[in-house]
Amino acid sequence: MDGGVNPLLPDSILLEIFLYLDYKDVLSVGQACRQWQAVARDEVLWKELFYRYYEVARDVPRHPAAVSWYGEFQRLYDTIPCVEVQTLKEHSDQVLHLSFSHNGYMFASCSKDCTIKIWNNDLEFSLLHSSNMKKFNWSYTQFSQFNADDSLLLVSGVFMGPRTSSSGEIAVISLENFTLLSRVRNKPYDVFGCWLNETNLISGNLHRIGYLTSCSVLWLNNAFQGVESENMNVVKRLFKLQNLNASTIRTVMVVDCSRYDSPDFMPNQGEQSVSNRATAASQATDLCSDSEEEEEAKRHTVPEPSAEDSLGTKSKAEAGDGLDRFLTDIIEGRVRPVMTELEMETKVARLLAKKRTKPPEPNLLSMEGCSQKKYLIFTTGCLTYSPHQIGIKQILPHQMTTAGPVLGEERDSDKFFDSLDHVIDIHGHIIGMGLSPDHRYLYVNSRAWPQDCVISDPLQPPPIAEEIDLHVLDLKTMKEVKRALRAHRAYTPSDDFFFIFLDVSRDFVASGAEDRHGYIWDRHYNICLAKLRHDDVVNSVAFSPMEQELLLTASDDCTIKVWRSPRTVRILHAEKPRLRKPLFSWATNQRS
């Protein structure tokens, strides 16, 4: 047939036959002759193979950057970092967190062995430096982050002490000579800390006000405190936030809105949230205004409409009157049924805060001045101690430096607390968060609460699902834009939970899990592409920011595994060019 003889079967019949084959057989028969090769490249054929093999919903269109169905099939098959190429065993205890430098040349690892290790990224990874933090009374290291120019490393750790202790510390290490530059207290330790810019980092502190009520203070710290403290301020208060019902601020992250216009993948906007919860959660919320627990408290009091008005329509005098009336009702026995001490504490704390809280920043969603706008994102809550909400606070330009008054800008003494600019409720226990490279999308690991559950005791959160939901939130619109991704699982109850770190690249999102696997999904098609095996819980994953075909996973089995894509493995192991037909070379080595 290749010599010009008329084909025995027309292309249409061959196509019908090939539709019954799987992709490997299609690639094989495509080598028979030129006619079969041409039919084996038919776009209709590869579209059908794509949807069938990857089990993608038929209403999901092809990736907007893809040029062919064949090329898209090859991309998902050949560029996923699913081939284990190296196992690093230098840690002597559970490995908790991984982070890459922005240039991809180094990565850092934190562990229960209380060391921070810095690794060199060459064709193979090698240990560059290791620091043991036990001499600073640390129990273990838990988190690290490189600053924007990769000259400094932030390391977050947990102090030794009883299991109920929540104290920690942040250390800053110079990457020029691996010297310790400064140390900053951090409470609770799972605030973790983060860089605001090249030389300033954010830490937290927690002050107890009552049994269920507390105040979280977020501080801006200069990394060079020992050098500059004699000449300028090295610390400044950013925000002071009231916590109710045993909740606290945790997992602080900075969103740089100037990255919104950088080249990155944008999830299919045709898939909007499938629940009314996401729509309701997208509305701006003030934790000091009426909420679900406020509604619960209303059932215990004599109706006082003017005392339950929102903060935006109530003057200071009216807020004071509301508290006075509530206390008078208690004294005179008009509160029915009788409130518990804990319910009364939460009610009084909220009423006190209403006239002592600054209003939210206006125009949160406005793109005006986007090149300088930054958000602070963190987990919080209002119903129980388990983190179930994402709080968002805009950082103003004058707040991005430690210059100025040590305790922040001068303010009205009555305005004791800062309010959140926006709150997104997840209706479940949040166990992980990660930003897309362009900072436009926030990916959230959560374990759902039972539908329609009612929380009557803040110290007894609802049971949480074993299945982990991975939510996708658009930070430009503050709305959920994807159905939750599922595949990974966790088994630890609320009171013993730990963070499972995830990471996002241009095309993929990866996460650890308690089922001894790491997982990789495609961001556009919402499909799980790979399961990466470990011998214990996978705590953290990290894509190289320079090549998304390189992924690291860290586990309780004390190892760090290095994963590369089949395509990269072939390139790195090729001793000399091979004369292969480019049409089929990517499928010659099957994935395990």
Side-chain angles (χ1 to χ4, degrees):
M1 288 186 288
D2 286 349
V5 180
N6 290 331
L8 298 178
L9 290 175
D11 291 354
S12 59
I13 299 299
L14 281 176
L15 179 60
E16 289 297 322
I17 295 172
F18 289 180
L19 284 170
Y20 287 93
L21 306 178
D22 65 20
Y23 75 96
K24 288 181 286 188
D25 293 331
V26 169
L27 294 175
S28 296
V29 300
Q31 300 181 72
C33 64
R34 291 175 183 171
Q35 183 204 10
W36 285 29
Q37 183 186 57
V39 175
R41 287 293 301 267
D42 187 272
E43 277 293 278
V44 174
L45 171 63
W46 281 99
K47 179 179 180 180
E48 176 61 29
L49 289 173
F50 182 90
Y51 281 111
R52 194 166 67 202
Y53 179 76
Y54 292 112
E55 299 181 350
V56 176
R58 296 280 176 164
D59 60 341
V60 178
R62 193 174 69 192
H63 192 295
V67 297
S68 70
W69 286 105
Y70 171 81
E72 194 65 348
F73 192 109
Q74 180 180 355
R75 179 182 73 84
L76 295 189
Y77 187 95
D78 208 30
T79 65
I80 306 300
C82 59
V83 180
E84 181 183 342
V85 296
Q86 191 177 0
T87 301
L88 307 174
K89 300 180 179 180
E90 278 78 355
H91 281 291
S92 60
D93 207 335
Q94 302 168 358
V95 188
L96 302 180
H97 183 256
L98 303 168
S99 64
F100 264 103
S101 61
H102 294 82
N103 59 23
Y105 294 158
M106 296 180 290
F107 82 88
S109 57
C110 297
S111 169
K112 281 288 185 72
D113 65 13
C114 205
T115 64
I116 174 69
K117 297 186 186 298
I118 302 170
W119 308 76
N120 184 49
N121 177 13
D122 205 342
L123 292 180
E124 287 194 350
F125 287 90
S126 58
L127 184 61
L128 195 60
H129 175 78
S130 179
S131 292
N132 193 316
M133 305 301 287
K134 286 185 178 179
K135 57 188 174 183
F136 302 115
N137 200 36
W138 287 24
S139 176
Y140 58 89
T141 58
Q142 60 169 352
F143 176 83
S144 65
Q145 187 181 58
F146 291 81
N147 71 339
D149 62 6
D150 294 329
S151 62
L152 304 174
L153 180 67
L154 176 156
V155 183
S156 176
V158 179
F159 276 140
M160 291 183 180
R163 186 176 180 275
T164 55
S165 174
S166 62
S167 296
E169 191 172 54
I170 295 172
V172 178
I173 297 175
S174 168
L175 295 176
E176 181 179 359
N177 50 18
F178 304 112
T179 57
L180 180 66
L181 296 179
S182 57
R183 292 159 54 203
V184 175
R185 287 296 181 101
N186 190 41
K187 184 178 181 180
Y189 57 77
D190 48 5
V191 168
F192 294 124
C194 64
W195 291 103
L196 177 61
N197 49 43
E198 286 84 352
T199 59
N200 293 292
L201 60 108
I202 296 172
S203 65
N205 201 357
L206 184 67
H207 304 280
R208 293 291 177 185
I209 300 175
Y211 187 66
L212 296 179
T213 310
S214 64
C215 173
S216 287
V217 182
L218 298 175
W219 294 91
L220 184 65
N221 309 269
N222 191 297
F224 301 94
Q225 294 192 6
V227 178
E228 299 182 351
S229 58
E230 295 183 1
N231 304 315
M232 60 183 296
N233 291 333
V234 294
V235 62
K236 183 170 72 174
R237 191 178 72 199
L238 276 179
F239 304 115
K240 194 171 187 178
L241 303 164
Q242 185 192 49
N243 303 312
L244 300 175
N245 288 322
S247 65
T248 61
I249 302 298
R250 302 171 176 172
T251 321
V252 175
M253 307 171 69
V254 171
V255 176
D256 185 353
C257 300
S258 66
R259 296 195 190 184
Y260 283 0
D261 296 327
S262 63
D264 189 17
F265 166 70
M266 181 178 297
N268 175 20
Q269 295 298 319
E271 269 191 45
Q272 296 300 324
S273 173
V274 294
S275 68
N276 293 331
R277 173 188 57 78
T279 302
S282 68
Q283 305 300 319
T285 306
D286 178 4
L287 284 185
C288 293
S289 64
D290 293 343
S291 61
E292 292 180 31
E293 78 198 308
E294 180 82 1
E295 296 298 324
E296 178 71 17
K298 290 178 183 179
R299 293 197 287 269
H300 296 273
T301 62
V302 175
E304 295 285 353
S306 61
E308 300 296 334
D309 290 341
S310 65
L311 180 60
T313 59
K314 182 182 292 184
S315 66
K316 295 180 185 179
E318 289 174 322
D321 291 344
L323 177 60
D324 292 340
R325 282 196 294 271
F326 176 67
L327 296 176
T328 301
D329 289 340
I330 294 175
I331 294 172
E332 297 181 359
R334 293 202 299 266
V335 177
R336 294 289 185 272
V338 177
M339 298 176 69
T340 66
E341 289 186 9
L342 298 183
E343 291 172 331
M344 193 178 302
E345 176 188 324
T346 299
K347 179 73 174 181
V348 170
R350 181 178 288 106
L351 289 172
L352 278 171
K354 281 189 174 181
K355 67 174 182 178
R356 292 175 171 83
T357 302
K358 294 178 64 179
E361 292 296 333
N363 305 319
L364 180 70
L365 301 182
S366 172
M367 288 297 100
E368 183 178 352
C370 182
S371 61
Q372 297 181 339
K373 186 177 287 188
K374 291 186 178 182
Y375 298 150
L376 199 60
I377 290 184
F378 41 82
T379 62
T380 182
C382 64
L383 303 177
T384 180
Y385 66 82
S386 65
H388 55 276
Q389 293 178 321
I390 297 170
I392 300 173
K393 187 68 182 169
Q394 183 175 343
I395 305 174
L396 301 177
H398 70 270
Q399 295 175 307
M400 297 185 189
T401 174
T402 55
V406 173
L407 295 182
E409 298 299 312
E410 296 299 329
R411 61 182 69 190
D412 186 341
S413 59
D414 287 340
K415 300 298 184 182
F416 190 70
F417 294 115
D418 296 287
S419 63
L420 298 185
D421 298 332
H422 196 81
V423 175
I424 300 175
D425 198 292
I426 299 299
H427 193 74
H429 193 134
I430 299 172
I431 61 171
M433 296 197 300
L435 285 167
S436 61
D438 65 352
H439 283 210
R440 168 78 183 269
Y441 298 96
L442 179 68
Y443 287 72
V444 182
N445 269 336
S446 75
R447 296 172 62 183
W449 289 337
Q451 190 173 6
D452 301 324
C453 66
V454 176
I455 300 176
S456 57
D457 183 354
L459 302 180
Q460 297 292 328
I464 51 179
E466 289 187 354
E467 196 166 44
I468 301 174
D469 294 333
L470 183 52
H471 303 269
V472 187
L473 307 174
D474 185 347
L475 297 179
K476 197 170 184 178
T477 63
M478 301 297 174
K479 294 182 179 180
E480 188 168 354
V481 294
K482 285 279 190 179
R483 290 194 298 266
L485 306 178
R486 289 180 175 175
H488 48 330
R489 304 182 73 85
Y491 310 105
T492 308
S494 289
D495 52 350
D496 290 322
F497 92 101
F498 52 88
F499 215 70
I500 293 180
F501 295 93
L502 55 96
D503 198 19
V504 188
S505 70
R506 185 189 68 240
D507 296 314
F508 310 127
V509 55
S511 175
E514 291 186 42
D515 58 11
R516 302 183 178 185
H517 288 89
Y519 290 81
I520 304 175
W521 293 265
D522 183 83
R523 290 177 62 190
H524 177 74
Y525 298 108
N526 279 5
I527 54 173
C528 184
L529 295 170
K531 293 176 64 176
L532 312 176
R533 177 73 181 177
H534 272 270
D535 294 330
D536 210 328
V537 173
V538 178
N539 296 305
S540 180
V541 297
F543 285 103
S544 167
M546 302 307 293
E547 50 172 331
Q548 64 175 358
E549 296 180 40
L550 169 61
L551 179 73
L552 306 175
T553 56
S555 171
D556 280 358
D557 63 15
C558 309
T559 68
I560 301 168
K561 290 190 176 183
V562 183
W563 309 82
R564 294 188 183 271
S565 68
R567 186 186 72 88
T568 304
V569 170
R570 287 198 310 274
I571 294 173
L572 294 178
H573 288 79
E575 297 179 357
K576 59 182 179 180
R578 297 183 180 182
L579 296 177
R580 287 196 111 102
K581 294 183 179 180
L583 171 62
F584 310 115
S585 61
W586 58 270
T588 55
N589 295 324
Q590 301 299 319
R591 293 183 292 182
S592 58

